Amino acid sequence: MDDAMTALPLVFDAPRRTKPPRHLADLTRDEARAAVTELGQPAFRADQLARHFYAGVTDPAQMTDVPAAVREDLAAALLPGLLTPVRHQSADGGRTRKTLWRLHDGALVESVLMRYPERATVCISSQAGCGMACPFCATGQSGLTRNLSAAEIIGQAVAAAAAMANGEIPGGPGRLSNVVFMGMGEPLANYARVRKTLDALLTPAPHGLGLAQRSVTVSTVGLVPAIRKLTEEGLNVTLAVSLHAPDDELRDTLVPINTRWNVGEVLEAADAYARRTGRRYSIEYALIRDVNDQPFRADLLGRLLAKRLAHVNLIPLNPTPGSQWDASPLPAQREFVARLRAAGVPTTVRDTRGSDIDGACGQLAAADQVDGVPSVAVPVPAVEEGVALGAESDQG
């Protein structure tokens, strides 16, 4: 197993890059109103711009409540297009769509929109790449390019909400109901901007997307100080902890952050969050053949979690090109589930939507950088014509 480990360093401080242009989604409401007045317009124009942004309007010509003479200038100043779609890839009959976004500095990130019969969920990225160096994760092995701005993160959710509202996903017009911070990056390593994004997701329209707190999930590999900080915020979003091993010896190699904060410390911080919110947290556990799927590890995990307010979400490992890692076989998965349930731990196995387009958990790596556009890519005509469609995006 050691030969399969890639010893990348942990990276907490994102490399310094040119900041994205100023964007309304990075500003407080008062700051946005002040910015509009500095441009010689009444403060309420900021509220109009916010209404258009969160509705997914990217063309100033459609902002008909703003005087035609100033639409272009206001949009350029406060709604710059920060996310340009490079391609869409679809799976599951079009109900899963992965989008590769190019940012202002050429960095690439991905988001995945998944439509189910009763809900629509978008998985968004909080960093370009990731500095947590988990060896079985394509994103972790790509290294960290930079943190995303709040507007860049929010823009992914706004684009997904607009796609649902416009009927771009099979099933007719619908509503985005859930957001999960499980795309590229470690969300709590970009805490301030993720926190601002949470405000935007939860604030009612027209100044946000108006999602329910229980419909938003923040995932982490276990940055204990940041979990504690989130606990103090008073929010009731869902916390998901990417554990992947119940023992420190194995987790030190699978999730290198464990050398800073071990399993016990991570679970203690998650328990504090559960006590304050009264809500279960989720334990994410990628089942890797002959690495962490042994029956004794299922029993150990069961003993760890039996009396905790936790739920286990098992994820059969999603393959990535060139990886030596493989998913646990079905018999091993079933035994792992059975042993956890026998210990009294609520357990489910995650639906691996989008794995055939490298859109499932652990597969997001913006592979364009290496291999070019895959044959299954669906080009976006507007990009080929040089039109940036990203005013639903963000700033840093």
PDB file of all heavy atoms in Angstrom, residues 29 47 50-52 54-55 175 199-211:
ATOM      1  N   ARG A  29     -24.168  44.411   1.652  1.00  0.00           N
ATOM      2  CA  ARG A  29     -25.197  45.224   0.991  1.00  0.00           C
ATOM      3  C   ARG A  29     -24.848  46.704   1.084  1.00  0.00           C
ATOM      4  O   ARG A  29     -24.997  47.457   0.108  1.00  0.00           O
ATOM      5  CB  ARG A  29     -26.568  44.954   1.616  1.00  0.00           C
ATOM      6  CG  ARG A  29     -27.713  45.591   0.857  1.00  0.00           C
ATOM      7  CD  ARG A  29     -29.045  45.237   1.462  1.00  0.00           C
ATOM      8  NE  ARG A  29     -30.141  45.860   0.735  1.00  0.00           N
ATOM      9  CZ  ARG A  29     -31.412  45.838   1.137  1.00  0.00           C
ATOM     10  NH1 ARG A  29     -31.727  45.203   2.253  1.00  0.00           N
ATOM     11  NH2 ARG A  29     -32.345  46.448   0.431  1.00  0.00           N
ATOM     12  N   ASP A  47     -29.381  47.084  -5.240  1.00  0.00           N
ATOM     13  CA  ASP A  47     -30.389  46.049  -4.989  1.00  0.00           C
ATOM     14  C   ASP A  47     -30.908  45.476  -6.300  1.00  0.00           C
ATOM     15  O   ASP A  47     -31.184  44.277  -6.399  1.00  0.00           O
ATOM     16  CB  ASP A  47     -31.547  46.634  -4.171  1.00  0.00           C
ATOM     17  CG  ASP A  47     -31.095  47.125  -2.802  1.00  0.00           C
ATOM     18  OD1 ASP A  47     -30.103  46.585  -2.271  1.00  0.00           O
ATOM     19  OD2 ASP A  47     -31.730  48.049  -2.255  1.00  0.00           O
ATOM     20  N   ALA A  50     -28.274  43.105  -7.557  1.00  0.00           N
ATOM     21  CA  ALA A  50     -28.298  41.859  -6.786  1.00  0.00           C
ATOM     22  C   ALA A  50     -29.436  40.961  -7.243  1.00  0.00           C
ATOM     23  O   ALA A  50     -29.273  39.741  -7.396  1.00  0.00           O
ATOM     24  CB  ALA A  50     -28.431  42.165  -5.292  1.00  0.00           C
ATOM     25  N   ARG A  51     -30.589  41.548  -7.488  1.00  0.00           N
ATOM     26  CA  ARG A  51     -31.743  40.769  -7.944  1.00  0.00           C
ATOM     27  C   ARG A  51     -31.410  40.055  -9.258  1.00  0.00           C
ATOM     28  O   ARG A  51     -31.714  38.867  -9.426  1.00  0.00           O
ATOM     29  CB  ARG A  51     -32.951  41.682  -8.115  1.00  0.00           C
ATOM     30  CG  ARG A  51     -34.228  40.964  -8.557  1.00  0.00           C
ATOM     31  CD  ARG A  51     -35.399  41.922  -8.670  1.00  0.00           C
ATOM     32  NE  ARG A  51     -35.727  42.528  -7.388  1.00  0.00           N
ATOM     33  CZ  ARG A  51     -35.476  43.786  -7.054  1.00  0.00           C
ATOM     34  NH1 ARG A  51     -34.878  44.604  -7.937  1.00  0.00           N
ATOM     35  NH2 ARG A  51     -35.808  44.248  -5.878  1.00  0.00           N
ATOM     36  N   HIS A  52     -30.764  40.753 -10.170  1.00  0.00           N
ATOM     37  CA  HIS A  52     -30.423  40.138 -11.451  1.00  0.00           C
ATOM     38  C   HIS A  52     -29.340  39.067 -11.283  1.00  0.00           C
ATOM     39  O   HIS A  52     -29.437  37.985 -11.876  1.00  0.00           O
ATOM     40  CB  HIS A  52     -29.958  41.211 -12.441  1.00  0.00           C
ATOM     41  CG  HIS A  52     -31.047  42.147 -12.860  1.00  0.00           C
ATOM     42  ND1 HIS A  52     -32.211  41.703 -13.441  1.00  0.00           N
ATOM     43  CD2 HIS A  52     -31.161  43.500 -12.759  1.00  0.00           C
ATOM     44  CE1 HIS A  52     -32.996  42.740 -13.703  1.00  0.00           C
ATOM     45  NE2 HIS A  52     -32.385  43.843 -13.289  1.00  0.00           N
ATOM     46  N   TYR A  54     -28.553  37.136  -8.649  1.00  0.00           N
ATOM     47  CA  TYR A  54     -29.016  35.903  -8.021  1.00  0.00           C
ATOM     48  C   TYR A  54     -30.092  35.196  -8.836  1.00  0.00           C
ATOM     49  O   TYR A  54     -30.365  34.014  -8.604  1.00  0.00           O
ATOM     50  CB  TYR A  54     -29.486  36.176  -6.586  1.00  0.00           C
ATOM     51  CG  TYR A  54     -28.321  36.421  -5.659  1.00  0.00           C
ATOM     52  CD1 TYR A  54     -28.038  37.701  -5.168  1.00  0.00           C
ATOM     53  CD2 TYR A  54     -27.461  35.382  -5.311  1.00  0.00           C
ATOM     54  CE1 TYR A  54     -26.947  37.932  -4.355  1.00  0.00           C
ATOM     55  CE2 TYR A  54     -26.365  35.614  -4.493  1.00  0.00           C
ATOM     56  CZ  TYR A  54     -26.121  36.879  -4.023  1.00  0.00           C
ATOM     57  OH  TYR A  54     -25.027  37.110  -3.208  1.00  0.00           O
ATOM     58  N   ALA A  55     -30.675  35.896  -9.815  1.00  0.00           N
ATOM     59  CA  ALA A  55     -31.595  35.245 -10.742  1.00  0.00           C
ATOM     60  C   ALA A  55     -30.856  34.650 -11.940  1.00  0.00           C
ATOM     61  O   ALA A  55     -31.480  34.060 -12.822  1.00  0.00           O
ATOM     62  CB  ALA A  55     -32.647  36.238 -11.222  1.00  0.00           C
ATOM     63  N   ARG A 175     -36.202  23.906  -9.437  1.00  0.00           N
ATOM     64  CA  ARG A 175     -35.553  24.765  -8.442  1.00  0.00           C
ATOM     65  C   ARG A 175     -34.344  24.044  -7.857  1.00  0.00           C
ATOM     66  O   ARG A 175     -34.401  22.842  -7.552  1.00  0.00           O
ATOM     67  CB  ARG A 175     -36.548  25.093  -7.325  1.00  0.00           C
ATOM     68  CG  ARG A 175     -35.979  25.939  -6.193  1.00  0.00           C
ATOM     69  CD  ARG A 175     -37.029  26.229  -5.128  1.00  0.00           C
ATOM     70  NE  ARG A 175     -36.456  26.953  -3.995  1.00  0.00           N
ATOM     71  CZ  ARG A 175     -35.868  26.369  -2.950  1.00  0.00           C
ATOM     72  NH1 ARG A 175     -35.794  25.049  -2.900  1.00  0.00           N
ATOM     73  NH2 ARG A 175     -35.368  27.102  -1.973  1.00  0.00           N
ATOM     74  N   ASP A 199     -23.750  32.861   3.690  1.00  0.00           N
ATOM     75  CA  ASP A 199     -24.718  33.958   3.852  1.00  0.00           C
ATOM     76  C   ASP A 199     -25.514  34.163   2.571  1.00  0.00           C
ATOM     77  O   ASP A 199     -26.739  34.331   2.604  1.00  0.00           O
ATOM     78  CB  ASP A 199     -24.002  35.257   4.224  1.00  0.00           C
ATOM     79  CG  ASP A 199     -23.549  35.280   5.672  1.00  0.00           C
ATOM     80  OD1 ASP A 199     -24.101  34.511   6.483  1.00  0.00           O
ATOM     81  OD2 ASP A 199     -22.634  36.058   5.996  1.00  0.00           O
ATOM     82  N   ALA A 200     -24.836  34.139   1.437  1.00  0.00           N
ATOM     83  CA  ALA A 200     -25.523  34.353   0.160  1.00  0.00           C
ATOM     84  C   ALA A 200     -26.481  33.218  -0.161  1.00  0.00           C
ATOM     85  O   ALA A 200     -27.581  33.432  -0.681  1.00  0.00           O
ATOM     86  CB  ALA A 200     -24.493  34.510  -0.959  1.00  0.00           C
ATOM     87  N   LEU A 201     -26.091  31.999   0.148  1.00  0.00           N
ATOM     88  CA  LEU A 201     -26.964  30.857  -0.129  1.00  0.00           C
ATOM     89  C   LEU A 201     -28.214  30.882   0.724  1.00  0.00           C
ATOM     90  O   LEU A 201     -29.299  30.483   0.280  1.00  0.00           O
ATOM     91  CB  LEU A 201     -26.204  29.541   0.118  1.00  0.00           C
ATOM     92  CG  LEU A 201     -24.992  29.254  -0.768  1.00  0.00           C
ATOM     93  CD1 LEU A 201     -24.314  27.958  -0.321  1.00  0.00           C
ATOM     94  CD2 LEU A 201     -25.405  29.161  -2.237  1.00  0.00           C
ATOM     95  N   LEU A 202     -28.081  31.357   1.957  1.00  0.00           N
ATOM     96  CA  LEU A 202     -29.183  31.286   2.917  1.00  0.00           C
ATOM     97  C   LEU A 202     -30.056  32.533   2.939  1.00  0.00           C
ATOM     98  O   LEU A 202     -31.207  32.476   3.374  1.00  0.00           O
ATOM     99  CB  LEU A 202     -28.625  31.033   4.323  1.00  0.00           C
ATOM    100  CG  LEU A 202     -27.757  29.766   4.477  1.00  0.00           C
ATOM    101  CD1 LEU A 202     -27.155  29.694   5.872  1.00  0.00           C
ATOM    102  CD2 LEU A 202     -28.562  28.515   4.179  1.00  0.00           C
ATOM    103  N   THR A 203     -29.535  33.658   2.452  1.00  0.00           N
ATOM    104  CA  THR A 203     -30.313  34.901   2.456  1.00  0.00           C
ATOM    105  C   THR A 203     -31.442  34.809   1.431  1.00  0.00           C
ATOM    106  O   THR A 203     -31.229  34.401   0.296  1.00  0.00           O
ATOM    107  CB  THR A 203     -29.403  36.094   2.114  1.00  0.00           C
ATOM    108  OG1 THR A 203     -28.398  36.202   3.121  1.00  0.00           O
ATOM    109  CG2 THR A 203     -30.200  37.389   2.058  1.00  0.00           C
ATOM    110  N   PRO A 204     -32.663  35.190   1.829  1.00  0.00           N
ATOM    111  CA  PRO A 204     -33.784  35.122   0.874  1.00  0.00           C
ATOM    112  C   PRO A 204     -33.570  36.030  -0.328  1.00  0.00           C
ATOM    113  O   PRO A 204     -32.841  37.024  -0.263  1.00  0.00           O
ATOM    114  CB  PRO A 204     -34.989  35.592   1.714  1.00  0.00           C
ATOM    115  CG  PRO A 204     -34.577  35.389   3.133  1.00  0.00           C
ATOM    116  CD  PRO A 204     -33.103  35.615   3.172  1.00  0.00           C
ATOM    117  N   ALA A 205     -34.198  35.659  -1.436  1.00  0.00           N
ATOM    118  CA  ALA A 205     -34.185  36.511  -2.630  1.00  0.00           C
ATOM    119  C   ALA A 205     -34.797  37.859  -2.277  1.00  0.00           C
ATOM    120  O   ALA A 205     -35.656  37.951  -1.398  1.00  0.00           O
ATOM    121  CB  ALA A 205     -34.980  35.844  -3.741  1.00  0.00           C
ATOM    122  N   PRO A 206     -34.369  38.956  -2.891  1.00  0.00           N
ATOM    123  CA  PRO A 206     -33.477  39.007  -4.052  1.00  0.00           C
ATOM    124  C   PRO A 206     -31.996  39.146  -3.720  1.00  0.00           C
ATOM    125  O   PRO A 206     -31.193  39.351  -4.619  1.00  0.00           O
ATOM    126  CB  PRO A 206     -33.974  40.249  -4.781  1.00  0.00           C
ATOM    127  CG  PRO A 206     -34.371  41.177  -3.673  1.00  0.00           C
ATOM    128  CD  PRO A 206     -34.968  40.289  -2.608  1.00  0.00           C
ATOM    129  N   HIS A 207     -31.629  39.045  -2.436  1.00  0.00           N
ATOM    130  CA  HIS A 207     -30.225  39.257  -2.060  1.00  0.00           C
ATOM    131  C   HIS A 207     -29.479  37.958  -1.805  1.00  0.00           C
ATOM    132  O   HIS A 207     -28.382  37.968  -1.259  1.00  0.00           O
ATOM    133  CB  HIS A 207     -30.162  40.170  -0.831  1.00  0.00           C
ATOM    134  CG  HIS A 207     -30.718  41.535  -1.079  1.00  0.00           C
ATOM    135  ND1 HIS A 207     -30.055  42.487  -1.823  1.00  0.00           N
ATOM    136  CD2 HIS A 207     -31.891  42.089  -0.707  1.00  0.00           C
ATOM    137  CE1 HIS A 207     -30.795  43.586  -1.890  1.00  0.00           C
ATOM    138  NE2 HIS A 207     -31.904  43.375  -1.223  1.00  0.00           N
ATOM    139  N   GLY A 208     -30.071  36.842  -2.205  1.00  0.00           N
ATOM    140  CA  GLY A 208     -29.430  35.542  -2.050  1.00  0.00           C
ATOM    141  C   GLY A 208     -30.296  34.488  -2.709  1.00  0.00           C
ATOM    142  O   GLY A 208     -31.282  34.801  -3.390  1.00  0.00           O
ATOM    143  N   LEU A 209     -29.946  33.226  -2.496  1.00  0.00           N
ATOM    144  CA  LEU A 209     -30.695  32.137  -3.126  1.00  0.00           C
ATOM    145  C   LEU A 209     -31.797  31.584  -2.233  1.00  0.00           C
ATOM    146  O   LEU A 209     -32.634  30.808  -2.688  1.00  0.00           O
ATOM    147  CB  LEU A 209     -29.741  31.008  -3.522  1.00  0.00           C
ATOM    148  CG  LEU A 209     -28.807  31.326  -4.697  1.00  0.00           C
ATOM    149  CD1 LEU A 209     -27.908  30.124  -4.987  1.00  0.00           C
ATOM    150  CD2 LEU A 209     -29.605  31.693  -5.941  1.00  0.00           C
ATOM    151  N   GLY A 210     -31.797  31.929  -0.952  1.00  0.00           N
ATOM    152  CA  GLY A 210     -32.898  31.553  -0.080  1.00  0.00           C
ATOM    153  C   GLY A 210     -33.015  30.064   0.199  1.00  0.00           C
ATOM    154  O   GLY A 210     -34.121  29.541   0.370  1.00  0.00           O
ATOM    155  N   LEU A 211     -31.890  29.357   0.286  1.00  0.00           N
ATOM    156  CA  LEU A 211     -31.938  27.931   0.593  1.00  0.00           C
ATOM    157  C   LEU A 211     -32.109  27.699   2.092  1.00  0.00           C
ATOM    158  O   LEU A 211     -31.729  28.533   2.913  1.00  0.00           O
ATOM    159  CB  LEU A 211     -30.648  27.248   0.126  1.00  0.00           C
ATOM    160  CG  LEU A 211     -30.343  27.299  -1.370  1.00  0.00           C
ATOM    161  CD1 LEU A 211     -29.017  26.601  -1.641  1.00  0.00           C
ATOM    162  CD2 LEU A 211     -31.452  26.653  -2.173  1.00  0.00           C
TER     163      LEU A 211
END
